[in-house]
């Protein structure tokens, strides 16, 4: 679990980010303007900051000066290349333009956290345990042999736990956009990891959509 500061003046977007990052196991603090963001950064530390650029008061570029090296993902409606380059040359870890897909932001948050070693090292659900460093899954501490795709699928379900993922989305994440097989591939792999990891009850089929891993929050 990471401590994440969300700096975004649009309430609905701020709230959407908070809800989604909470579902993936993170603790979020929300602020809605630049001044409050700077005050917050002076008073406590965070593992990651999601930082909007166009803010009331002080803009995100100025807030960035107060992050003290905390990993930062800029979030903004500005989509021009020069703005993107400015954010990245200032030292931001990533940059997303609005409108964005929440799943993509959640995935980028995990990537940045992993890179900065603030992410979870493992995950436990019932008798199953996953060690993210060694990419190894266990059931009752007995190692379970998973193919690379099965492991990536499991990891994706864990990173997006409690969120329904469509078969198409899972195909994109695990197999890539250029994969030519159908969504049946996802079903086959889900069946295998359900059986291998005794997750028949925890990996729910979402009617007419896809799958969701249910885990305590
Ligand atoms: Ca804004």
């Amino acid at each position: 679990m990471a401590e994440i500061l969300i700096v975004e003046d649009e309430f609905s977007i701020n709230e959407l980010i908070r809800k989604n990052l909470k579902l993936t196991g993170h603790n979020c603090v929300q602020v809605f303007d630049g001044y409050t963001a700077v005050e917050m950064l002076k008073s406590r530390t965070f593992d990651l900051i999601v930082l909007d650029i166009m803010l009331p008061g002080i803009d995100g570029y100025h807030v960035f000066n107060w992050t003290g090296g905390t990993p930062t993902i800029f979030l903004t409606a500005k989509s021009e290349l020069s703005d993107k380059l400015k954010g990245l040359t200032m030292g931001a870890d990533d940059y997303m333009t609005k409108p964005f897909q929440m799943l993509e932001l959640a995935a980028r948050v995990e990537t940045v956290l992993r890179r900065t070693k603030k992410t979870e090292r493992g995950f436990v659900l019932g008798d199953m345990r996953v060690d993210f460093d060694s990419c190894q899954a266990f059931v009752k501490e007995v190692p379970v042999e998973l193919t690379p795709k099965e492991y990536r699928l499991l990891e994706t379900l864990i990173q997006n736990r409690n969120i329904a993922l469509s078969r198409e989305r899972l195909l994109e994440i695990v197999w890539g956009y250029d994969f030519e097989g159908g969504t049946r591939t996802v079903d086959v792999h889900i069946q295998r990891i359900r059986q291998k990891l005794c997750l028949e009850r925890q990996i729910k089929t979402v009617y007419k959509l896809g799958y969701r891993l249910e885990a305590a929050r």
Side-chain angles (χ1 to χ4, degrees):
M1 185 188 82
E3 297 285 321
I4 298 176
L5 177 65
I6 305 168
V7 187
E8 164 64 66
D9 59 314
E10 282 174 62
F11 181 82
S12 59
I13 297 177
N14 195 318
E15 192 58 12
L16 180 74
I17 297 170
R18 184 194 65 81
K19 280 183 187 157
N20 278 276
L21 295 182
K22 182 167 187 280
L23 285 173
T24 51
H26 302 301
N27 193 26
C28 297
V29 172
Q30 298 169 281
V31 297
F32 302 88
D33 67 89
Y35 288 115
T36 314
V38 169
E39 288 309 309
M40 191 61 78
L41 289 166
K42 284 181 190 169
S43 64
R44 55 177 287 191
T45 58
F46 295 90
D47 298 317
L48 185 140
I49 304 165
V50 177
L51 180 57
D52 185 26
I53 289 177
M54 299 299 281
L55 290 166
I58 309 172
D59 75 19
Y61 293 129
H62 287 91
V63 172
F64 186 74
N65 294 326
W66 293 89
T67 56
T70 304
T72 301
I73 297 177
F74 273 126
L75 188 65
T76 179
K78 288 187 169 187
S79 56
E80 289 166 12
L81 184 63
S82 59
D83 295 313
K84 191 167 192 162
L85 290 175
K86 182 175 176 181
L88 292 174
T89 52
M90 285 180 81
D93 291 79
D94 210 341
Y95 192 106
M96 284 199 71
T97 50
K98 298 180 212 170
F100 61 92
Q101 291 280 330
M102 192 54 228
L103 279 177
E104 188 181 352
L105 177 63
R108 290 189 188 206
V109 163
E110 295 308 318
T111 304
V112 171
L113 288 173
R114 179 156 309 170
R115 203 162 61 215
T116 55
K117 303 284 182 202
K118 293 287 186 182
T119 191
E120 51 197 353
R121 320 302 301 173
F123 175 80
V124 174
L125 183 60
D127 289 334
M128 183 200 69
R129 178 172 75 82
V130 181
D131 182 320
F132 294 130
D133 288 331
S134 63
C135 301
Q136 178 68 61
F138 305 82
V139 172
K140 294 182 177 169
E141 290 309 307
V142 177
V144 176
E145 201 70 35
L146 295 177
T147 66
K149 293 289 187 233
E150 287 167 358
Y151 179 79
R152 182 78 185 101
L153 182 59
L154 174 66
E155 190 183 52
T156 302
L157 290 169
I158 292 170
Q159 285 170 356
N160 298 283
R161 55 187 174 269
N162 301 312
I163 297 173
L165 294 166
S166 69
R167 291 178 173 81
E168 290 75 16
R169 184 67 193 147
L170 287 167
L171 264 187
E172 283 172 12
I173 296 172
V174 178
W175 282 268
Y177 287 94
D178 51 358
F179 180 70
E180 292 184 347
T183 53
R184 176 84 189 116
T185 305
V186 176
D187 300 329
V188 170
H189 281 74
I190 287 281
Q191 278 312 323
R192 287 195 199 133
I193 63 174
R194 268 180 178 150
Q195 285 167 9
K196 286 184 178 181
L197 300 167
C198 307
L199 294 176
E200 279 89 353
R201 282 185 304 111
Q202 290 89 347
I203 300 177
K204 301 280 186 196
T205 301
V206 182
Y207 182 63
K208 286 191 173 172
L209 181 83
Y211 299 96
R212 179 181 68 240
L213 178 69
E214 293 203 338
R217 294 173 189 178

